Amino acid sequence: MLKYLASVPIVLSVLAGAYGGLNYVNKLTTQIDDSTKEIMMLRKDIENIHQIYTEKTNVNSNNYTMAREELLKEMTSLNTWVGRIEAKGQAMEKLMYETASHSELQAIEEIVRTNSDAIRQFKYDMKDLERQLSGGY
């Protein structure tokens, strides 16, 4: 009987070790399950953020494209308008040459030159603005 009594602490130690090991494994499994759930939630949040970002980027891209098209239309209209003004100025210049006296002619020539230079500079400024808006230099 004594020999059986001596094996009781060994059996108790083995049982305590088995219980401790099973308890440790159970806690690890619970922790892994909780972490897996948290990772799934984070992935879903990331997907939602990505979807919102994509939608906003598409909306901004479409708005930018529409604004560029509208700007191009306005620039074309303005360029046409400047061309008409220049043509009318040249027609007026021709008429003035035919009807003005010499002193009037010199004054009118100066005015026409000034206006022509201003219109020409305006056209250059418009072309520079168009190049900058279209991504040029």
Side-chain angles (χ1 to χ4, degrees):
M1 172 100 175
L2 197 53
K3 114 172 148 173
Y4 292 117
L5 228 56
S7 63
V8 168
I10 295 172
V11 170
L12 287 177
S13 294
V14 169
L15 286 176
Y19 174 75
L22 289 175
N23 192 23
Y24 180 73
V25 169
N26 188 26
K27 286 181 181 179
L28 281 179
T29 303
T30 304
Q31 181 64 35
I32 289 172
D33 289 343
D34 291 346
S35 296
T36 303
K37 289 176 185 175
E38 185 70 26
I39 288 172
M40 294 286 223
M41 290 172 50
L42 289 173
R43 280 189 180 165
K44 185 162 182 109
D45 288 346
I46 289 171
E47 287 174 5
N48 289 339
I49 290 170
H50 180 68
Q51 182 181 5
I52 290 169
Y53 173 77
T54 303
E55 289 172 1
K56 296 221 181 237
T57 301
N58 287 341
V59 167
N60 287 343
S61 179
N62 290 339
N63 288 342
Y64 177 73
T65 301
M66 288 173 35
R68 281 186 71 145
E69 290 174 0
E70 185 66 28
L71 181 63
L72 182 62
K73 289 176 187 177
E74 290 295 325
M75 295 285 288
T76 304
S77 174
L78 187 59
N79 200 9
T80 303
W81 182 72
V82 168
R84 287 181 186 158
I85 290 174
E86 189 175 19
K88 287 179 183 179
Q90 288 173 353
M92 288 173 62
E93 179 183 7
K94 183 178 177 184
L95 287 173
M96 288 180 199
Y97 277 132
E98 294 173 355
T99 59
S101 67
H102 185 63
S103 60
E104 291 174 331
L105 185 60
Q106 289 176 344
I108 291 172
E109 283 177 346
E110 184 61 31
I111 292 171
V112 169
R113 254 187 252 112
T114 304
N115 287 340
S116 295
D117 290 343
I119 290 172
R120 191 173 303 111
Q121 184 61 41
F122 186 69
K123 283 176 66 177
Y124 293 144
D125 292 343
M126 293 303 296
K127 286 180 183 179
D128 286 342
L129 179 62
E130 186 175 355
R131 283 188 199 115
Q132 289 176 350
L133 291 174
S134 65
Y137 63 89

